[in-house]
Amino acid sequence: MGNYSLVCRSCGERCEGDAYRCPSCGGILNTEYPFDRRDALCSALRNARQYWDYEPFFPIGRECEKVTMGEGFTPLVPAPGIARAFGIRQMSIKNEGLNPTGTFKDRCMSISISKAKALGASAVVIGSAGNAGAAAAAYAARAGIPCYVMVPTSTPPERVAQIQLYGARVILVRGSVTDCIDLIARVYRERGWHNVTTASAYNPFQADSEKAIAYEMAKASGWEVPDWLFVPIGGGGILSGIYRGYLDLFRLGLVKKLPRMVGTQEEGCCAVVNAFRAGRKPAQIERVENPAGIAVAIADAYPLDGETALQAIYDSGGYSESVSSAEILEAQRLLGRTEGIFAEAASSTTLAAAKKLREKGVVQAGDSVACVVTGSGLKDLQLAARHMPRPAEVEIDPEQLNRAVDGMEAAV
Ligand SMILES: *Cc1c(COP(=O)(O)O)cnc(C)c1O
Ligand SMILES: [Zn+2]
């Protein structure tokens, strides 16, 4: 074992060795780090140049061979045009779309597949809306471990093809991502599969991966912290993880405050927003029936890590907001044409919600805002293409070309 312990959320027992669930009661396992080498940890955070330099904050033992390919350490991009458009002091974008498979899920799977390999997994399985499945498939390919991926039938075909391209075995499930995860939970033990689903309840080894998003953002901005940090909520893991990352930085004295966390969802599937609006306790989040919308990556009927996400929102004085499909598409296009960043629909909920909260006066003119663009828009090209006008088309003829260009200039 390395410099961490697995501690049961239900009975408090500290595990000897690694496990996916509490050996005594079956409860969910949290990771704990002693934080006893403060100077060493601070210098690791200050000097990090790549994702795995954060290893002291990951549940990894010295025996572990890393399955890695340049995940993480994505750019924090200033977005002054968006700041002007929204009427705020500062906007920055953490662009996770630049990860090897196009989303932040590579962070989760670099650690999860490394761990599965160290534990001698003969196969891994994951229930996913598609992005975590693609990441699992890619990292499993590098590790030489067979990978089974269950995704909803409604998953965009690009994403299914991507998973297959990495050599994974895909099964389409007639249900939501929550149904995929529930279905796997009923068979993975008998099959001897290691479940690498990105939910703490099934896989405690991925939950710390997103802490590094906070570490990287803080380092890139000279240890400044945005007033508001917008993060999409699917299962809730990424928001919880980023907040825990900022808590680490705060405890170690590297940052002076915590960001207000804003969890964003689409109207057709917004269990956390519903609970926030009703002022409910984190344990009282209710499952959404018949999830709908275009942000397929966050269409979790029941957010398995919603409890810790909503707790982070409450603790940080944050907010939770839902946006419509039309608002998502508008934000996606605004980010593209203003800053040159093509965000997935799920990721565009952050921009759309920032605009909405500015209009409501929750976010104020003097505030700084950061949005986590969790995945690349290239992941769902058909969605973007469906909403774009048909381009002009001409013969190989300068006159026709000039007429077409004049028409475009007149339209601007
Ligand atoms: C998985 C995913 C999310 C949501 O992450 P959770 O940890 O499930 O909340 C958001 N955006 C994209 C692009 C994703 O793939
Ligand atoms: Zn227990």
Side-chain angles (χ1 to χ4, degrees), residues 104-105 131 232-238 297-298 344 346-347 374-375:
F104 77 94
K105 297 294 196 316
N131 287 337
I233 294 184
I238 182 174
I298 51 171
E344 229 196 274
S347 314
T374 45

Side-chain angles (χ1 to χ4, degrees), residues 53-91:
D53 289 344
Y54 296 121
E55 192 176 337
F57 300 88
F58 297 157
I60 289 293
R62 260 175 285 282
E63 78 287 358
C64 199
E65 185 189 325
K66 287 151 205 150
V67 185
T68 176
M69 52 169 154
E71 59 288 332
F73 252 80
T74 53
L76 183 67
V77 186
I82 299 284
R84 260 194 308 281
F86 290 1
I88 52 176
R89 179 165 61 82
Q90 196 181 80
M91 169 66 83

Side-chain angles (χ1 to χ4, degrees), residues 48-360:
R49 296 192 175 282
Q50 52 186 348
Y51 178 63
W52 276 93
D53 289 344
Y54 296 121
E55 192 176 337
F57 300 88
F58 297 157
I60 289 293
R62 260 175 285 282
E63 78 287 358
C64 199
E65 185 189 325
K66 287 151 205 150
V67 185
T68 176
M69 52 169 154
E71 59 288 332
F73 252 80
T74 53
L76 183 67
V77 186
I82 299 284
R84 260 194 308 281
F86 290 1
I88 52 176
R89 179 165 61 82
Q90 196 181 80
M91 169 66 83
S92 35
I93 303 292
K94 177 68 168 165
N95 189 1
E96 290 292 301
L98 291 168
N99 277 291
T101 77
T103 74
F104 77 94
K105 297 294 196 316
D106 292 335
R107 298 172 180 273
C108 310
M109 288 307 137
S110 181
I111 297 181
S112 297
I113 302 294
S114 298
K115 202 74 205 186
K117 192 171 184 187
L119 296 174
S122 56
V124 294
V125 66
I126 186 165
S128 154
N131 287 337
Y139 283 83
R142 292 183 72 79
I145 302 174
C147 179
Y148 294 86
V149 182
M150 319 285 154
V151 294
T153 322
S154 57
T155 306
E158 297 98 317
R159 225 162 285 193
V160 176
Q162 186 188 15
I163 298 167
Q164 290 175 310
L165 185 122
Y166 297 131
R169 298 155 194 183
V170 180
I171 293 169
L172 303 176
V173 176
R174 296 188 191 112
S176 69
V177 56
T178 308
D179 296 317
C180 295
I181 295 169
D182 290 346
L183 182 61
I184 289 169
R186 290 157 65 178
V187 302
Y188 75 94
R189 285 195 191 85
E190 298 92 276
R191 289 231 157 240
W193 289 338
H194 282 235
N195 193 345
V196 294
T197 295
T198 55
S200 302
Y202 297 109
N203 177 10
F205 301 115
Q206 53 82 40
D208 289 328
S209 62
E210 296 117 348
K211 293 190 304 187
I213 295 175
Y215 307 157
E216 292 166 20
M217 287 180 68
K219 181 176 152 75
S221 45
W223 312 101
E224 291 290 319
V225 174
D227 296 317
W228 300 92
L229 180 49
F230 286 69
V231 184
I233 294 184
I238 182 174
L239 189 145
S240 313
I242 294 175
Y243 189 62
R244 279 206 316 283
Y246 275 106
L247 282 174
D248 287 350
L249 296 167
F250 188 74
R251 286 192 198 116
L252 289 166
L254 285 171
V255 300
K256 293 198 177 57
K257 65 168 197 172
L258 297 166
R260 293 173 165 222
M261 302 299 295
V262 184
T264 63
Q265 299 192 292
E266 185 170 5
E267 276 168 9
C269 185
C270 59
V272 175
V273 176
N274 290 340
F276 177 82
R277 282 199 186 123
R280 270 187 240 123
K281 293 196 177 76
Q284 297 169 328
I285 295 171
E286 286 170 12
R287 186 183 178 118
V288 168
E289 299 307 326
N290 308 316
I294 58 170
V296 290
I298 51 171
D300 298 58
Y302 181 75
L304 282 165
D305 288 304
E307 220 174 299
T308 47
L310 186 53
Q311 192 63 55
I313 288 167
Y314 286 145
D315 289 350
S316 68
Y319 211 91
S320 194
E321 185 63 283
S322 64
V323 290
S324 68
S325 305
E327 288 168 327
I328 291 171
L329 289 169
E330 189 196 318
Q332 187 182 44
R333 287 191 292 257
L334 179 70
L335 185 62
R337 68 167 187 268
T338 313
E339 307 290 353
I341 295 172
F342 186 10
E344 229 196 274
S347 314
S348 303
T349 59
T350 58
L351 267 293
K355 179 167 186 276
K356 211 164 173 176
L357 292 196
R358 176 69 191 100
E359 285 161 5
K360 281 188 178 177

Side-chain angles (χ1 to χ4, degrees), residues 355-379:
K355 179 167 186 276
K356 211 164 173 176
L357 292 196
R358 176 69 191 100
E359 285 161 5
K360 281 188 178 177
V362 175
V363 173
Q364 306 202 334
D367 290 349
S368 63
V369 174
C371 289
V372 182
V373 164
T374 45
S376 165
L378 295 173
K379 284 272 188 161

